[in-house]
């Protein structure tokens, strides 16, 4: 990819970037919050991660599913009692203008966020002001999409909907993902597979998961603690267009051990095959995964015609 990063998942180019912050465009270095900001103290911020892909032939950036991402951001804000809710069309215009001002000619990661901006101590969601920021920076691979990844189920469980709803992309939620990810990384794996409190497969730390066996591809339901994935939905559509059978259904941990194929997907992660789970080898990449990944990679750059 054209995006240059110091290490996988790290953003580069921040020193020259322009951000949108609290109503105006300014250098990213000047987009700062007070340490007393409620979102900083308590994680009360919502966000989205959106990729924009550079097509060198068209000399054009293609933002991937921008409207659905912003609609999901609005839904997260509703869960967090943010009022007024963000205007999706206004945010679209801000993001387009931000990309123009940065004059990117490479793959980009865009992160819009609505956060509780009041400087206050106190555990609550109401009677707090909200502010908006959007950053956009060059971005390469988030995880290995070429050779597959080694996964492990971990002891850290996905938060239940009655605890912190996983369907809301809330900054504080990602402590849960971070605890799971560090457990996997320190054990020598690439990614964690998180189980729901009832032991069913939920998702990875930043990706939805698909498991194929006997010609049927399964992905966990929202009730298992999975994020309502935009890339998950796109991948399901691609798979069906390729003539594959896709269902949303519960997945047990042992289903992972006997799978014909496993792959994960997300806006940042794209589509990546899994080569093992808990040291049980998985065929990698399988034919379904390869076909889906190839189709997805062309589509995001507007090269699928």
């Amino acid at each position: 990819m054209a995006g240059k990063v110091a290490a996988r998942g790290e953003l580069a180019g921040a020193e020259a970037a322009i951000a949108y912050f609290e109503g105006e465009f300014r250098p990213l270095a000047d987009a700062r919050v007070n340490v007393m900001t409620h979102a900083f103290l308590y994680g009360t911020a919502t966000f989205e991660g959106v990729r924009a892909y550079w097509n060198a032939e068209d000399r054009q950036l293609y933002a991937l599913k921008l409207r659905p991402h912003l609609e999901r951001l609005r839904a997260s804000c509703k869960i967090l009692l943010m009022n007024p809710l963000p205007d999706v069309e206004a945010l679209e215009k801000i993001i387009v203008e931000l990309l123009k001002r940065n004059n990117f000619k490479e793959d980009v990661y865009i992160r819009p966020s609505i956060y509780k901006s009041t400087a206050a101590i106190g555990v609550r969601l109401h009677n707090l002001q909200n502010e908006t920021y959007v950053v956009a920076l060059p971005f390469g691979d988030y995880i290995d999409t070429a050779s597959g990844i080694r996964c492990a189920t971990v002891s850290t469980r996905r938060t239940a909907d009655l605890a912190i709803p996983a369907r809301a992309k809330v900054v504080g939620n990602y402590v849960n993902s971070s605890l799971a990810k560090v457990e996997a990384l320190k054990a020598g794996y690439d990614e964690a597979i998180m189980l729901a409190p009832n032991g069913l497969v939920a998702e990875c730390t930043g990706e939805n998961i698909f498991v194929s066996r006997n010609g049927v591809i399964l992905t966990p339901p929202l009730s298992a603690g999975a994020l309502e994935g935009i890339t998950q939905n796109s991948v399901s559509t691609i798979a069906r267009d390729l003539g594959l059978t896709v269902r949303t259904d519960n997945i047990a941990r042992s289903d992972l051990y006997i799978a014909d194929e496993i792959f994960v997907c997300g806006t940042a992660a794209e589509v990546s095959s899994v080569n093992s789970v808990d040291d049980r080898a998985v065929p990698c990449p399988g034919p379904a995964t390869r076909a889906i990944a190839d189709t997805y990679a062309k589509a995001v750059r507007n090269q699928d015609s």
Side-chain angles (χ1 to χ4, degrees):
M1 284 191 175
K4 297 176 181 178
V5 290
R8 181 167 288 123
E10 295 183 5
L11 297 173
E15 66 282 354
I18 301 296
Y20 178 85
F21 181 73
E22 298 188 350
E24 64 181 27
F25 295 95
R26 62 174 74 181
L28 178 56
D30 295 336
R32 302 174 182 176
V33 298
N34 189 306
V35 294
M36 287 294 295
T37 301
H38 199 272
F40 178 80
L41 293 174
Y42 299 105
T44 50
T46 64
F47 75 98
E48 282 292 324
V50 185
R51 274 190 183 265
Y53 290 89
W54 176 249
N55 184 314
E57 183 176 340
D58 294 348
R59 304 293 295 173
Q60 177 70 43
L61 268 175
Y62 291 97
L64 181 61
K65 298 285 186 179
L66 180 57
R67 175 62 68 96
H69 277 286
L70 296 180
E71 289 173 346
R72 189 172 65 180
L73 177 64
R74 183 180 171 90
S76 296
C77 290
K78 189 173 184 179
I79 290 173
L80 234 59
L81 288 177
M82 290 180 162
N83 187 39
L85 294 173
D87 184 311
V88 169
E89 289 188 1
L91 272 175
E92 278 185 318
K93 292 177 181 178
I94 288 168
I95 289 171
V96 170
E97 177 62 23
L98 182 66
L99 294 176
K100 288 180 179 177
R101 288 179 180 238
N102 280 286
N103 194 30
F104 294 116
K105 293 181 174 62
E106 55 192 315
D107 295 347
V108 175
Y109 177 82
I110 308 157
R111 183 179 170 119
S113 176
I114 314 296
Y115 63 97
K116 302 281 188 181
S117 58
T118 302
I121 289 178
V123 179
R124 66 182 191 275
L125 293 174
H126 64 295
N127 296 335
L128 297 168
Q129 294 181 326
N130 309 318
E131 283 289 357
T132 301
Y133 77 76
V134 186
V135 297
L137 294 166
F139 197 63
D141 283 346
Y142 180 70
I143 59 176
D144 189 344
T145 57
S147 58
I149 56 175
R150 297 179 67 237
C151 291
T153 58
V154 293
S155 63
T156 301
R157 292 295 182 258
R158 192 69 176 105
T159 54
D161 190 72
L162 292 178
I164 305 177
R167 69 188 307 160
K169 284 184 72 70
V170 176
V171 170
N173 283 11
Y174 283 78
V175 174
N176 180 227
S177 293
S178 297
L179 289 168
K181 185 69 171 270
V182 74
E183 186 178 341
L185 292 177
K186 285 187 172 293
Y189 298 92
D190 301 312
E191 180 57 286
I193 297 175
M194 303 176 73
L195 307 179
N198 63 3
L200 294 173
V201 174
E203 61 179 3
C204 296
T205 62
E207 308 88 27
N208 291 106
I209 187 167
F210 288 80
V211 177
S212 176
R213 186 161 187 258
N214 297 329
V216 177
I217 301 174
L218 301 179
T219 191
L222 296 178
S223 58
L227 178 68
E228 193 170 13
I230 292 168
T231 305
Q232 177 192 38
N233 183 59
S234 297
V235 163
S236 296
T237 299
I238 289 171
R240 293 187 180 104
D241 288 346
L242 291 171
L244 303 171
T245 301
V246 183
R247 292 206 312 259
T248 299
D249 205 348
N250 290 323
I251 299 171
R253 184 173 67 170
S254 58
D255 289 324
L256 303 173
Y257 299 161
I258 58 176
D260 297 326
E261 299 180 48
I262 301 175
F263 64 91
V264 300
C265 73
T267 300
E270 304 172 290
V271 179
S272 180
S273 57
V274 172
N275 59 42
S276 68
V277 177
D278 294 343
D279 299 319
R280 279 84 167 177
V282 180
C284 172
T289 303
R290 188 183 300 111
I292 292 167
D294 289 348
T295 302
Y296 181 86
K298 293 175 182 177
V300 297
R301 297 181 191 277
N302 197 38
Q303 296 173 336
D304 55 341
S305 56

